[in-house]
Amino acid sequence: MDFSFHADHDCNRVLNLLNRDSHGLSQGVTRRLLAYHWSLLPVAEDGLERALTQLSNEALIELDDRRVALTVTGYAQLIDPDCAAIEQDAPSELHLRAGSPTEYSLRAIALDVMTRGGATRLPLKELTERWAVSGLRAGELRDAIDLLQRDNLATFGGLRTRTVVLTKDGQAYVAGRPPPGALLSMAPALRREDLSAGRVDSKTLCLLAAHTVQSSESRGSTSFGEVLYRLAQLKIPDFRAFLSLELLYRLHHVDFAADTGSLHLTASGNKLARAARGRAIQWVIGQSVQQS
């Protein structure tokens, strides 16, 4: 529930965000966290700076390059008992989920929270704050970090300040194309025991998937389901099989024909498949199985 603190809609949103997100109203919030929370709302991006300027001119907030905090006058506005309750803005649809999470859904949410606004590294404290204002369950953040590390998409860095940093694999994943619904419908459920599996890099997984697609294509047209079935026959765990195929598509190594449901390796995908032969593919399969 939000409250009607100000006649201007964007100014009112800022005051409500400060009311919700501040650890102490006098301490306020960082501008980065405020900008992140604003980005989750169905509003114009440039409305935030305009609202901050107006609230500052009205002496309701004080701000610098790093923080936004209420003034005494602003604090009095928030505790005014005559402020009416209003409907709260809806959060980002990405963060609204029904049922149990899949590995894919948690990976997508974690990367959105981490990289929204163009970030490639975040102090753990800020990531925790972003997770909280997104309305996500605190217990899932540990799972999300374990998942990103296992998939070689992020790692911990920093000496004084623990920081979560996107790897090169992680940056390529974020920049890639989203997978089609035909593949997402096969995403495995999130199981905590799978999160402790060893780290395998994206190239190794793409070699595995490209080899399997090519092997399936040699017997006729192939689909996502057929490739996942063949990977299962190689004793590849379902979470590793799904990610390998997702990466192959996301990184443009395979195309999907929606009308026929068939897969076709691109030029880069065929190059990977040629590299994954003989002892090379035996090593790749061994890595994918032994690290699980």
Side-chain angles (χ1 to χ4, degrees), residues 205-247:
L205 293 176
C206 284
L207 285 166
L208 174 65
H211 168 80
T212 310
V213 170
Q214 187 181 67
S215 298
S216 301
E217 277 188 313
S218 66
R219 298 173 173 83
S221 63
T222 191
S223 64
F224 286 123
E226 174 70 15
V227 174
L228 291 176
Y229 171 76
R230 292 187 178 280
L231 287 168
Q233 287 186 315
L234 294 173
K235 307 300 183 185
I236 306 298
D238 60 351
F239 68 88
R240 197 83 85 190
F242 178 88
L243 180 59
S244 69
L245 194 48
E246 182 199 346
L247 286 168

Side-chain angles (χ1 to χ4, degrees), residues 80 120 148:
D80 184 346
T120 58
L148 295 182

Side-chain angles (χ1 to χ4, degrees), residues 9 15 17 28 31 39 47 56 105 160 169 171 198 213 215 239 241 261 265:
H9 292 306
L15 291 174
L17 292 180
R31 293 189 71 149
S39 75
S56 178
S105 68
R160 291 187 175 182
D169 282 354
Q171 293 177 46
V213 170
S215 298
F239 68 88
L265 289 174

Side-chain angles (χ1 to χ4, degrees), residues 124-136:
L124 183 57
K125 179 183 178 182
E126 184 175 347
L127 178 58
T128 302
E129 290 175 335
R130 285 188 173 201
W131 197 263
V133 303
S134 300
L136 298 165

